[in-house]
Amino acid sequence: MSSLMRKMFLLSLLAVGAGCLGAADFFAIPADGGADLSPDKVYPQGRLFPFSGFQPKSLKETKDAFFTMAGPGYGPRIQSLTKEACELKMPMIYTIHANYNGKPLLKAQFDAKGVSLDWEQIRSDIERQVKTALASGVDVGWWYLQPEELRFWRKDEIKYLKVAYETIRAADPLKRPVWMYNPNHYDIEGLKKYTGLMDIMGKGMYANYSGNKSSRVWCRWSSENQVKAIEATGAKSFAICVPEMFEEPAAGSMDKIESWVRHDVYLSLICGSKGVVVFSLATRPTLSADAHSRYYAAYKQVARELNGPVGLGQVFLFGKRCNDLHGKVISGPAEVSITPLPRKPDVFKYPSVTFADVSYKTGRYFLAVNSAEEPVGYELSGFPPEAVKFTDVVSGKELTVARGGLLKLDFRPLEVKLLRMTPNLQ
C-alpha cells in the first residue's frame, strides 16, 4: 500500500462516527483555479497576488517587501514610476489620463457651461497613451483611469468613463482590467452604476477618515458592497481592498496602527477582495514620519504573509470557499454595528467575528478577524474530531483541540487569526 493510500485509509477510519464531514472529504484537494496562469504575471492574467500602493517612493524597496505591483502614480511621478517598473520587470498599474487641447482633462471641464468636449479628440488621445505604454516595454498589469471619482449623475463624467473604458479595451489586445477609484462613502446602489464600466471595483475603505475608527466593521460593509454590486449586476469584475495610510492617528492611537492595518486588510480579503492597493505610500504633511513608518511596516508584514513563504495570497485567490465550519461567540460581544452614511439612519449589524473556511492544496484554512474593540471568546466546530491539527501560519505554533472536536479561541480586540488545518495522523 502506497503512503498516500495509507493516509487516506487512516483518514477514512477517523471519519467513522464523526458526526460531521469525514476527514478524507474534509481534506480533499480542490482543483486549482489558477493552474493555467503564469506565475510571473499579476492576477487576473497570472498567479501573483496584487499588492501595491499609490505614489511609492521606491519600487526597489516595495518589491523587496513582497509588493507585486507598481503604482498607481500621479503627475510627474507616472513617468519615473514607469521607468523603474521597466527596470525591475515589475507589473504596473498604469495611469491613463486624457489630454485635451494639450493639457490633462480636468473634472471642472465636464458639464461646464460653454464647454463642448471633442470626444473624438479624447478617444484618440487615450488610444495613443495605451499604445505608447504597450510599446514602452512596461508590464501593464492593470490600467488606472484619471480623473478619478467620476460621478454617475453627471452626463459628461459618466460619458468620459464609458469612452475611456471602451477605448482602452479596444486598444489593448490582452484586454487587461481597467480600474477607476470610487469614493469612500459609496454604498451598493452607487457602486452598481459602475460595474459595467470598469473591471475592478476598488473604492476607498478608510475607517478612520470616515469616522469609524472604533467601528472598523466599516471595512466589511465596504468590501461586501463591492462584491454584492458585482454579483447583482452579473459583471465580470472583481473587488480589491483600498485601505488608508494618509492621516495622522488621534492622540494616543499610534500603537493601534498595526492592529488597524491587519484587521482592515484581512477582513476585506475574507469578504472577497482579490488584491490590495494602499492609499497611499507617499510622504505627506498630514502624516508624521513615525505614523508613516508604523503604517508602512504593518503593510509590509501583511504583504510578506500574502506573497512570501506563507503564500496566503494564493489561498485567497485560488482556494475553494467552503461552509463546513461553524463558530459561536462564548464570551464578549457577539455583534458589532455601524451607521455608515450620515444622511441615512440605517444601522448595519454584523457578527463580531468574520471568518472564511477555505480549502487549498496546501491545507484547509480558518481565516478570521475580530471586529470588536473588546476581547471575544470563540468556539469553532465542524471539523472531523481528533483528525485535525491546527497551526498558526505566521508563528508556526500548534493549537490544542478541545475534547469533542471543538477549538476554543481567544481573540484580542481587532485580532486576526490565520490558521491552517492539516490531518492529524498520530
Side-chain angles (χ1 to χ4, degrees), residues 321-338:
R321 296 288 178 125
C322 305
N323 58 5
D324 302 307
L325 299 180
H326 307 283
K328 181 175 68 174
V329 172
I330 55 178
S331 64
E335 285 187 336
V336 287
S337 62
I338 52 166

Side-chain angles (χ1 to χ4, degrees), residues 30-33 274 313-322 357-361:
D32 186 345
K274 300 289 188 180
Q314 300 298 291
V315 177
F316 281 112
L317 286 181
F318 305 118
K320 176 186 176 183
R321 296 288 178 125
C322 305
D357 172 12
V358 186
S359 179
Y360 188 59
K361 61 185 179 182

Side-chain angles (χ1 to χ4, degrees), residues 131-148:
K131 291 181 177 179
T132 298
L134 297 179
S136 73
V138 67
D139 181 3
V140 176
W142 304 343
W143 301 103
Y144 185 72
L145 186 64
Q146 293 180 358
E148 306 160 332

Side-chain angles (χ1 to χ4, degrees), residues 113-425:
K113 288 185 178 180
V115 176
S116 180
L117 295 173
D118 184 337
W119 293 103
E120 286 309 309
Q121 182 188 143
I122 291 170
R123 192 184 300 273
S124 177
D125 186 69
I126 292 173
E127 181 180 11
R128 175 192 61 80
Q129 290 187 43
V130 172
K131 291 181 177 179
T132 298
L134 297 179
S136 73
V138 67
D139 181 3
V140 176
W142 304 343
W143 301 103
Y144 185 72
L145 186 64
Q146 293 180 358
E148 306 160 332
E149 300 188 9
L150 297 171
R151 295 163 288 190
F152 63 84
W153 61 93
R154 295 287 182 91
K155 181 184 66 173
D156 279 356
E157 291 186 28
I158 201 67
K159 182 173 181 177
Y160 173 76
L161 177 57
K162 187 173 187 295
V163 166
Y165 178 73
E166 291 175 348
T167 305
I168 293 169
R169 296 286 287 183
D172 179 10
L174 297 184
K175 311 300 182 191
R176 281 158 282 214
V178 179
W179 171 35
M180 182 200 72
Y181 169 88
N182 270 322
N184 192 47
H185 65 278
Y186 273 23
D187 63 6
I188 185 171
E189 292 306 317
L191 294 170
K192 282 161 64 174
K193 305 292 196 301
Y194 296 91
T195 56
L197 299 173
M198 61 183 77
D199 306 297
I200 300 170
M201 297 298 294
K203 81 174 194 68
M205 194 189 73
Y206 315 139
N208 290 25
Y209 182 72
S210 66
N212 288 289
K213 181 184 75 171
S214 298
S215 302
R216 305 196 79 85
V217 76
W218 161 269
C219 299
R220 175 169 175 172
W221 178 86
S222 293
S223 300
E224 286 188 347
N225 278 344
Q226 294 188 143
V227 173
K228 289 177 179 178
I230 293 168
E231 292 174 346
T233 55
K236 295 180 180 179
S237 311
F238 63 95
I240 63 171
C241 166
V242 185
E244 63 192 317
M245 179 179 162
F246 59 86
E247 192 173 60
E248 188 73 8
S253 298
M254 198 72 78
D255 290 340
K256 296 182 179 180
I257 288 176
E258 181 181 0
S259 63
W260 288 342
V261 166
R262 295 185 65 77
H263 170 277
D264 296 358
V265 172
Y266 278 112
L267 181 56
S268 184
L269 298 183
I270 287 168
C271 292
S273 293
K274 300 289 188 180
V276 179
V277 183
V278 181
F279 187 84
S280 79
L281 301 182
T283 55
R284 55 180 64 229
T286 57
L287 198 64
S288 67
D290 185 20
H292 187 283
S293 177
R294 289 174 184 244
Y295 265 116
Y296 192 27
Y299 283 118
K300 286 194 291 185
Q301 176 60 31
V302 174
R304 181 179 182 85
E305 292 164 7
L306 292 168
N307 288 315
V310 173
L312 283 176
Q314 300 298 291
V315 177
F316 281 112
L317 286 181
F318 305 118
K320 176 186 176 183
R321 296 288 178 125
C322 305
N323 58 5
D324 302 307
L325 299 180
H326 307 283
K328 181 175 68 174
V329 172
I330 55 178
S331 64
E335 285 187 336
V336 287
S337 62
I338 52 166
T339 306
L341 303 175
R343 291 181 295 238
K344 293 183 179 180
D346 302 332
V347 176
F348 293 87
K349 293 184 178 181
Y350 298 95
S352 54
V353 175
T354 305
F355 73 86
D357 172 12
V358 186
S359 179
Y360 188 59
K361 61 185 179 182
T362 52
R364 188 75 176 260
Y365 291 82
F366 173 73
L367 310 166
V369 173
N370 173 27
S371 294
E373 296 279 338
E374 303 171 48
V376 169
Y378 203 70
E379 193 173 77
L380 185 68
S381 62
F383 50 90
E386 312 301 332
V388 177
K389 178 172 65 176
F390 285 83
T391 306
D392 184 302
V393 299
V394 178
S395 69
K397 181 182 177 181
E398 291 187 13
L399 282 67
T400 302
V401 178
R403 288 185 178 181
L406 299 175
L407 179 68
K408 293 186 177 180
L409 299 166
D410 292 316
F411 284 87
R412 298 188 302 275
L414 304 182
E415 185 182 4
V416 175
K417 289 189 183 294
L418 307 170
L419 307 180
R420 181 170 62 242
M421 295 168 278
T422 52
N424 184 8
L425 300 176

